[in-house]
Amino acid sequence: MSPESIEVRPLAGAVGAEIGGVDLRDLSDDAFARVREALLTHGAVFFRDQTFDPDAQIAFARRFGEPEVHPIVEGMDGRPEMLRVHKPAGASASFGVGWHTDNSFFERPSLGSVLYGETIPPVGGDTLYASMEAAYQALSPRMQSFLGDLRAVHSASRAYDPDGVGREKYEGKAPLRYRYSEAVHEEVEHPVVRTHVDTGARSIYVNPMFTQRICDLAESESHAILEMLYQHCARPDFQCRFRWTPGAVALWDNRQVWHYAMDDYREHERVMYRVTIAGERPV
Ligand SMILES: O=C(O)CCC(=O)C(=O)O
Ligand SMILES: [Fe+2]
């Protein structure tokens, strides 16, 4: 397909665009460059009516970097780098419910994520995105400079501690299987404001799922600043919302957006496949 036929339609002012006219299994280098450009510009891009199998999805992810094997969530048999995110009918959703950036508790957090929708509820199960660049830009210059040289501790423990999330995930009794290891409690430090290596844009890089505390502040100060930031970053002005259809693909840049999986389709089933792409140490 020629890159001339690619159409990029922004979904909202701050984040998100739908891209039409591409088959992600068969992207020329030119078309791939356009998709990558749109990803950097819009933070999250969406494609309809794709026909990914696991190999095609992994191959697409690999064009951006190395697919990662999750240290806690078990991948699919024979394809450890792919997660099958299954939410059965009659259950509540738990994976990705709450604002976060994928794997910010890694020393080198994920560059991006590719999510493919297979079984989509007739209503509900949307994914929300929020631009942390827009959120950063909307802070006062004084707050930007205060946050500018702070660091924060991230860990998987709030999201993955068996005492908090329930042991059934670790006992193989839930659709997503977890594997217990040191990785659940390891702590890493990242800057509170990061600079995108490809665009130079600055963005807020703390999130309510994985950030534990801001270094060098009193606990009450860290708590107050994080709460202020979380409230600020969740402003609808910085968001878009993607309504899934079967065969849709979402690709997002974890270096500049938060996302949130809605838990509003209890009576319906949803099946997604996810691959994350290795990133660099945030600076
Ligand atoms: O299921 C979704 O909509 C998103 C879940 C999530 O957070 C992820 O795949 O990283
Ligand atoms: Fe996620």
Side-chain angles (χ1 to χ4, degrees):
M1 223 168 281
S2 76
E4 291 71 41
S5 65
I6 292 183
E7 210 192 320
V8 180
R9 295 178 299 271
L11 273 184
V15 65
E18 275 204 43
I19 299 185
V22 288
D23 177 351
L24 297 179
R25 289 173 312 177
D26 179 30
L27 270 187
S28 67
D29 288 345
D30 277 359
F32 173 73
R34 292 277 300 273
V35 167
R36 185 175 172 276
E37 187 66 39
L39 174 68
L40 293 176
T41 304
H42 298 284
V45 289
F46 310 101
F47 309 85
R48 303 274 177 198
D49 304 320
Q50 302 295 311
T51 46
F52 268 164
D53 59 18
D55 289 338
Q57 184 173 346
I58 291 168
F60 174 63
R62 198 179 291 286
R63 295 186 79 160
F64 293 89
E66 206 44 45
E68 299 169 306
V69 175
H70 199 282
I72 303 166
V73 186
E74 282 199 25
M76 288 166 59
D77 286 346
R79 298 226 176 48
E81 62 278 77
M82 176 164 280
L83 306 185
R84 182 171 187 268
V85 183
H86 180 205
K87 204 291 288 174
S92 51
S94 61
F95 190 72
V97 178
W99 287 114
H100 65 287
T101 56
D102 288 330
N103 303 330
S104 75
F105 55 92
F106 290 3
E107 227 171 75
R108 292 182 170 69
S110 309
L111 175 158
S113 307
V114 182
L115 188 65
Y116 176 62
E118 184 181 72
T119 304
I120 302 300
V123 64
D126 297 355
T127 309
L128 277 55
Y129 294 84
S131 167
M132 293 301 103
E133 293 182 357
Y136 176 75
Q137 283 159 19
L139 293 171
S140 66
R142 286 295 284 265
M143 182 54 71
Q144 290 177 342
S145 68
F146 170 69
L147 298 174
D149 58 359
L150 290 174
R151 295 176 69 77
V153 172
H154 295 237
S155 129
S157 66
R158 196 174 306 119
Y160 290 107
D161 190 317
D163 290 334
V165 300
R167 299 202 168 256
E168 62 286 355
K169 293 199 168 85
Y170 285 93
E171 291 164 353
K173 294 179 192 148
L176 265 179
R177 294 225 299 265
Y178 292 0
R179 202 174 333 109
Y180 190 79
S181 75
E182 288 298 298
V184 172
H185 299 292
E186 268 164 22
E187 296 194 330
V188 299
E189 264 181 49
H190 296 307
V192 169
V193 175
R194 75 181 287 181
T195 305
H196 199 292
V197 285
D198 293 319
T199 66
R202 311 200 86 196
S203 64
I204 297 173
Y205 196 66
V206 287
N207 69 84
M209 197 175 280
F210 301 127
T211 305
Q212 299 288 327
R213 60 187 179 277
I214 298 179
C215 305
D216 303 329
L217 298 186
E219 197 184 320
S220 60
E221 293 169 341
S222 164
H223 181 79
I225 296 286
L226 287 174
E227 282 307 308
M228 180 278 290
L229 287 175
Y230 295 158
Q231 204 176 339
H232 171 77
C233 291
R235 257 171 60 178
D237 313 70
F238 310 139
Q239 295 175 23
C240 76
R241 179 177 187 130
F242 184 61
R243 167 82 199 118
W244 287 92
T245 45
V249 172
L251 161 68
W252 60 90
D253 182 346
N254 282 301
R255 301 166 297 180
Q256 55 163 312
V257 301
W258 274 1
H259 59 285
Y260 185 124
M262 294 289 291
D263 177 23
D264 64 346
Y265 55 104
R266 192 175 175 85
E267 62 276 29
H268 302 294
E269 184 185 31
R270 185 171 180 264
V271 182
M272 317 292 280
Y273 294 88
R274 191 189 79 165
V275 179
T276 60
I277 304 150
E280 66 283 333
R281 229 193 154 117
V283 287

